[in-house]
Amino acid sequence: MKSHKFRTLVWACAAALGSMGSVQAQSDADLRNDQATPGNITTHGMGYNNQRYSALKKINKGNVDKMVPVWTYNLNNLHGQESQPIIFDGMMYVTTHTATMAIDPLTGRQIWKQDLEFASDVFKMACCGLLNRGVAIYNGKVFRATLDSHVIAYDAKTGKQLWKSKAADYQDGHAMTAAPLIANGVLMTGIAGGEYGTRGFIDGWNPDTGAKLWRMYTTAAGSDKGADTWPGDTAMKGGAPTWLTGIYDAELDLVYWGTGNGGPWNAEARKGDNLYINSVVAFKPKTGVMSWHYQFSPNDPFDYDATEVGMLVDMKVGGAMRKTLVQANRNGFFYVLDRTDGKLLAANPYVKVNWADKIDLASGRPVESAVMKRVRTGADEEIFPSVLGGKNWQPMSWNPATGLAYANTLNISWPYQFAKPEYKRGEWYLGVNFRGVTMPKDQPHGFLSALDPMTGKTKWQMAWPGQPSMAGTLSTAGGLVITGAATGEVMAVDADTGKKLWEFQTGSGIIGLPVTWEHKGQQYVTITSGGGGVWALLGDERMAKTPSGGSLWTFAVR
């Protein structure tokens, strides 16, 4: 008891001293240096580049089998838990879809909690699970988005609400689930709702006041460049949602944000490329003015969202160092782009693909297969990958020592056929004969995969028995890949071989994002537990064997 009180007192004193300079410590420069300050995690992705890599190696291949729980915190929420913890100034911040919590990172004790209240019809509008993916922190404030499409700022020390701004009308089908992004002093948020006949956008906000600075729509209409890629007024219900967090290159002062599917899914109802669905858009954070874009799946009919924007990696391409953006796209191809101008450098399949034969490097466009051509005539076809993609929303990670990306990939197809689309406010706007997904017989449904970005080939794969994993991955200098299973195990895997080195059962499915951090030379790993999300909507009967219930876990070697 004495030891616990002393440790808490020491941490509280350190936090108090740190708070004297908290405004300076949360400057743009310190957000840029997140990867170099392992005691804090101040950005979504453990760095603006979203590599989810840590140079920490106190926990490594040689001792990870001695890792044990330090504490657990009950999130008091029965839905899916995808929140990435943020740590700053002696506090850890985590969210559910109904609450924001500040927690002592060393003890798991709650410091403050703010609950949200919603109208009764909000929950039926959320497409793919009741969840939230975390906060942003800046200048003494913590920011989150809400299912009813608001942005809220809290005092980071006390939890007092400082402002609340409305982004959209949730009754139109809009929702907000992603962690905001702070870049060059601007708070940015995206929007969900691509299945509801909405028009996607990205907003820039003043983090001090909540005033809207700009809005960039992600379907082109009117006088917008690319408006001619939409017939009639279809762009106004054309989707292109922006429901995950962007990434930032401070040197280039460019934000990169991924966009999602077109609406409706029936692409024959919106013939054309449909800019800027299924794209990455690069823009200046101060203005929201687009610098360039790259479209992965023009006129996409399969919900191949590009919202998980990928990672910024400096690597050799053709013998020369290039500033790249790498993305394992839901359409089944692994892309490497020059992030200065969007030029395509490589695109290769990393899972089974039958809708396209290849990506043409000269034009950057997919070469549609015979299967795809039959789909466009109304044929009923089995499509690889499925609506869930070759990889779903969950971020991958990068290890500069191995030169590999680590991702939870999927081996699933789906039956696809057009149907007549019909728009009704607040209801799904698909225009397809939706019959779920197809699990291959006598084959794994998913893998933890070590991928070469330039070729899409795997160095190794660890098959998931039964249900595939929808969890993110974390890579470390200790030679580890840390992730979780749908059945509740958080685990550490050898980054070189894929051999499982350690696991611990958390009591519910893992669909969250692991992070690692240190305090006084001790390395910790933290992750949320709580099954749900998009996989739960498919009605997989095996999920009934895994209890629901959200919790937050922190581990260390003892």
Side-chain angles (χ1 to χ4, degrees), residues 129-198:
L130 303 179
L131 49 88
N132 187 269
R133 298 185 176 93
V135 305
I137 188 166
Y138 183 69
N139 200 20
K141 301 178 184 66
V142 170
F143 308 90
R144 70 161 292 161
T146 68
L147 281 178
D148 62 352
S149 299
H150 286 78
V151 186
I152 302 175
Y154 298 112
D155 184 282
K157 288 298 180 187
T158 67
K160 178 183 177 182
Q161 182 174 306
L162 301 175
W163 56 257
K164 181 177 182 179
S165 296
K166 183 177 179 179
D169 188 340
Y170 73 87
Q171 291 184 327
D172 289 329
H174 286 299
M176 301 176 80
T177 56
L181 172 70
I182 297 279
N184 201 354
V186 177
L187 173 71
M188 281 159 282
T189 57
I191 198 77
E195 280 66 54
Y196 290 87
T198 58

Side-chain angles (χ1 to χ4, degrees), residues 304 331 352-356 382-386 411-414 440:
Y304 286 155
N331 71 14
K352 182 177 179 179
V353 175
N354 74 350
W355 69 274
E382 193 74 16
I383 301 298
F384 287 87
S386 78
N411 181 30
I412 302 172
S413 63
W414 68 318

Side-chain angles (χ1 to χ4, degrees), residues 505-548:
Q505 173 58 249
T506 63
S508 186
I510 302 286
I511 57 173
L513 309 176
V515 297
T516 189
W517 50 283
E518 72 170 2
H519 179 68
K520 292 189 175 181
Q522 175 78 63
Q523 184 178 354
Y524 300 86
V525 173
T526 301
I527 191 170
T528 56
S529 171
V534 65
W535 185 254
L537 299 181
L538 296 176
D540 189 333
E541 61 187 20
R542 294 168 298 181
M543 291 195 68
K545 298 179 181 179
T546 303
S548 58

Side-chain angles (χ1 to χ4, degrees), residues 425-444:
R425 185 182 186 226
E427 295 185 11
W428 277 33
Y429 182 51
L430 301 184
V432 301
N433 181 15
F434 187 66
R435 291 160 285 171
V437 299
T438 305
M439 309 295 180
K441 294 181 180 179
D442 304 320
Q443 294 182 44

Side-chain angles (χ1 to χ4, degrees), residues 103-124:
I103 298 164
D104 183 326
L106 293 181
T107 67
R109 189 170 71 175
Q110 180 179 297
I111 299 170
W112 57 257
K113 180 179 182 180
Q114 285 284 9
D115 291 306
L116 298 170
E117 294 184 0
F118 297 111
S120 59
D121 60 343
V122 168
F123 299 136
K124 73 175 185 178

